[in-house]
Amino acid sequence: MQQQSAIHAEEAKKIPFVGNKEPLSMLAAEYESGSPILLEKIKMLGQQYAAIRRTQGDGNCFFQSFMFSYLEHILGSQDRAEVDRIKGNVKECRKTLQSLGYADFSFEDFFGLFLEQLDIVLQGNEDSISLDELIIKSRDQSISNYVCKSSVEPMGEESDHVDIAALSDALGVPIRVVYLDRSFCDKGGVCVNHHDFVPTFGDHSNASSHSTEPIKPFITLLYRPGHYDILNPK
């Protein structure tokens, strides 16, 4: 098992922390000689999603995927109100950690870096960056691992349902996780299942929305057993 883990770790290093966009046909090619169920599900994904962006399978892939996808969304939308909102949540997280007895030095470096990333994806600032520059920064291990520390420690541990729900609640950001597995629908046949993690409070919670329409997350991650990647909608 140790040998297999070592081989897996070496293979993971060949993929950057955040990869380039790839068409879903590249994902389908991985399963050409495998399960027809997975191939059918990838075909169905192609109806809603244009591309996949892979992340390194180092145990931090969920956090890598989430944070890059969030920053890419802000870069594309230039939603300053959203940035102001999440900065307010970060402020509350600071207070919570202090009230729990954490020393400021244990989290201030992360918060400073995260806020800096938020500022530079907004255009019009002296140090604003482009998408290509964001990708380069996201491949920097020192920056990438600090960003991952926004959620749980230790590093290198796969995220589960509780971690995702906690992150969604803490930052107030809805997250959709699409599952690529061999499961069938409840009524039989092939379908792609997903789960939306919606904050239980705040501006992005169902409870605070005056609309009867469910909130649609702007971050979509693809989960294959043991790994998360980013899905880009059409």
Side-chain angles (χ1 to χ4, degrees):
M1 290 181 66
Q2 289 178 340
Q3 185 179 18
Q4 288 179 337
S5 296
I7 292 172
H8 178 76
E10 285 301 314
E11 288 298 313
K13 291 179 182 177
K14 296 178 182 178
I15 300 174
F17 288 116
V18 177
N20 296 321
K21 282 185 180 181
E22 301 176 20
L24 289 180
S25 58
M26 296 292 288
L27 180 62
E30 295 181 24
Y31 298 98
E32 282 184 348
S33 58
S35 168
I37 296 175
L38 295 179
L39 287 173
E40 180 62 25
K41 288 191 175 186
I42 294 170
K43 183 179 178 181
M44 295 171 71
L45 284 174
Q47 298 172 9
Q48 299 181 60
Y49 301 100
I52 181 174
R53 194 186 289 275
R54 302 174 192 267
T55 61
Q56 190 178 101
D58 59 357
N60 300 318
C61 54
F62 167 73
F63 303 108
Q64 300 278 8
S65 298
F66 171 81
M67 295 310 300
F68 180 86
S69 187
Y70 182 81
L71 291 170
E72 184 181 31
H73 169 76
I74 296 299
L75 182 61
S77 67
Q78 293 297 294
D79 189 344
R80 294 177 182 272
E82 169 64 12
V83 171
D84 290 341
R85 185 200 64 79
I86 203 167
K87 282 183 176 180
N89 282 21
V90 167
K91 184 177 181 180
E92 291 303 312
C93 284
R94 275 187 170 128
K95 292 179 180 178
T96 300
L97 290 172
Q98 289 169 339
S99 69
L100 292 173
Y102 285 88
D104 288 359
F105 70 81
S106 67
F107 55 80
E108 277 303 324
D109 283 347
F110 158 70
F111 282 131
L113 179 61
F114 179 49
L115 294 175
E116 175 188 313
Q117 299 294 304
L118 285 172
D119 286 336
I120 64 179
V121 294
L122 289 175
Q123 300 305 294
N125 300 323
E126 184 178 345
D127 52 356
S128 297
I129 62 173
S130 65
L131 176 59
D132 288 341
E133 290 170 318
L134 175 61
I135 292 172
I136 292 171
K137 279 184 172 290
S138 298
R139 291 174 179 172
D140 183 320
Q141 185 172 9
S142 62
I143 293 177
S144 184
N145 281 350
Y146 252 133
V147 169
C148 288
K149 288 174 75 173
S150 62
S151 10
V152 293
E153 297 212 31
M155 299 290 293
E157 297 294 331
E158 183 185 333
S159 299
D160 59 18
H161 188 283
V162 175
D163 297 326
I164 301 171
L167 181 67
S168 176
D169 276 347
L171 296 182
V173 177
I175 306 167
R176 171 167 293 182
V177 176
V178 176
Y179 299 96
L180 182 59
D181 53 28
R182 291 179 173 84
S183 64
F184 288 93
C185 297
D186 293 338
K187 298 180 180 179
V190 177
C191 64
V192 180
N193 295 312
H194 72 267
H195 183 81
D196 288 347
F197 295 85
V198 179
T200 56
F201 61 90
D203 294 340
H204 286 167
S205 69
N206 280 330
S208 66
S209 176
H210 297 293
S211 173
T212 57
E213 292 294 320
I215 293 172
K216 183 177 180 181
F218 54 76
I219 291 177
T220 303
L221 307 182
L222 177 68
Y223 178 76
R224 291 180 281 171
H227 187 68
Y228 294 87
D229 290 308
I230 301 168
L231 283 176
N232 293 104
K234 288 185 173 180

